Amino acid sequence: MADLGVERADFVSVPVTDLERASEFYESLGLTRSRGWSERWREYELGNVSLALIPIEMLGRDEFAPNLSPIAIRVPDVAEARETLEAAGVEFPVETIDSGVCHIAPFRDPDGNALQLHRRYAPFADGSLP
Amino acid sequence: MQVEKVDFVSFLTEDIPRAKRFYAETLGLEIETEAENDMEFRAGQVTLDIFDPSSIGQAFAPSPAGLALRVPDVAAARAELEAKGVEFDGETVDTGVCHMAVFKDPDGNSLMLHRRYAPFDDGRQP
């Protein structure tokens, strides 16, 4: 158990084909650049973890495949955040999902990487609030 | 829009029991929740959600870019994982500020052992 000593997640990354276009998109979400900023890749603050945008060239692959496993971004109010993003031209392919414990609104970045606006509203099993 | 934090990052799997063995036993991550088609592990301050998309009729695809796990010593952690049969993509990379060793889970999702050793621009230690 835990003999590797995993301390934390330093960053989560998504592949991008156009670093400038991707940067513009993530900055439109209101994210700030992190200290790991570089000319070769970009890093943004997502609260508790950094998001790294990795150009496809750096991944050493010829064929581009987006990340289809979503990153769940917590916002105070999913409906409100969705409206803001829709007004800015972001498309949401489905209605916001009410899972019974949280609201989920899936969307994609310009490269097709999966994201979701997420807010749990139900208390956890121990009674604490999300 | 106000972004508070990441609630979870997710990887897709085609085999929940196999993923459970890998994340809980091989990597030693703590299990947060466990269900038939969905498990959550604690990756430090972030929850890693492992989900079987076939349970809702969706297609599987491995995550191509992945999650960087901070360990005290990349070389030591890599040696431990290799001893357990985990294969790495190439040699450990020294970027000049950090060590990175890229590997995959049994579903092909990309992970990385990561340790920054250089101080940040403001002088703080990583």
Side-chain angles (χ1 to χ4, degrees):
Chain A
M1 171 66 199
D3 46 4
L4 291 182
V6 173
E7 296 172 32
R8 55 178 276 134
D10 270 345
F11 57 86
V12 54
S13 51
V14 295
V16 300
T17 55
D18 182 332
L19 201 50
E20 296 308 324
R21 180 181 67 173
S23 300
E24 205 171 295
F25 176 80
Y26 284 96
E27 280 172 26
S28 80
L29 300 185
L31 306 183
T32 54
R33 296 179 179 192
S34 79
R35 290 183 304 188
W37 186 266
S38 146
E39 284 310 307
R40 288 187 298 152
W41 69 87
R42 303 283 161 84
E43 284 186 41
Y44 290 93
E45 290 300 328
L46 273 178
N48 50 341
V49 70
S50 301
L51 171 72
L53 310 181
I54 310 287
I56 183 71
E57 312 85 80
M58 277 187 68
L59 291 172
R61 294 193 192 94
D62 296 332
E63 282 181 29
F64 182 80
N67 177 30
L68 299 180
S69 321
I71 298 170
I73 298 169
R74 184 191 295 194
V75 292
D77 185 312
V78 169
E80 206 174 279
R82 176 175 179 149
E83 263 178 42
T84 305
L85 292 186
E86 282 179 332
V90 176
E91 287 179 28
F92 287 76
V94 296
E95 292 300 307
T96 296
I97 299 154
D98 184 339
S99 71
V101 295
C102 62
H103 291 121
I104 305 171
F107 64 110
R108 299 280 183 95
D109 78 3
D111 284 296
N113 292 301
L115 301 165
Q116 57 181 239
L117 300 175
H118 180 262
R119 182 76 205 189
R120 184 178 169 115
Y121 55 80
F124 291 103
D126 63 5
S128 65
L129 290 168
Chain B
M1 184 176 105
Q2 183 199 346
V3 173
E4 296 180 26
K5 60 177 281 191
V6 169
D7 273 341
F8 56 84
V9 301
S10 48
F11 281 159
L12 303 180
T13 183
E14 294 182 296
D15 187 335
I16 286 277
R18 181 180 66 184
K20 179 183 176 179
R21 284 195 298 277
F22 184 79
Y23 285 97
E25 294 169 25
T26 307
L27 295 189
L29 301 186
E30 179 192 336
I31 296 171
E32 289 185 345
T33 66
E34 187 171 357
E36 192 181 346
N37 299 308
D38 188 81
M39 289 195 69
E40 290 179 318
F41 296 88
R42 179 170 297 284
Q45 83 288 17
V46 172
T47 294
L48 173 63
D49 181 83
I50 307 280
F51 176 64
D52 180 353
S54 69
S55 64
I56 55 166
Q58 289 186 356
F60 166 80
S63 175
L67 182 64
L69 300 173
R70 182 190 297 188
V71 292
D73 183 325
V74 169
R78 177 175 179 148
E80 274 189 45
L81 288 184
E82 284 181 329
K84 292 176 180 175
V86 176
E87 288 182 21
F88 282 76
D89 293 352
E91 296 299 311
T92 297
V93 176
D94 184 339
T95 64
V97 294
C98 64
H99 290 120
M100 306 191 301
V102 175
F103 63 107
K104 291 193 172 59
D105 78 3
D107 286 289
N109 293 299
S110 191
L111 291 154
M112 180 192 290
L113 300 175
H114 181 257
R115 182 78 204 186
R116 184 178 170 115
Y117 55 80
F120 290 103
D121 290 343
D122 59 9
R124 285 176 54 185
Q125 296 290 334

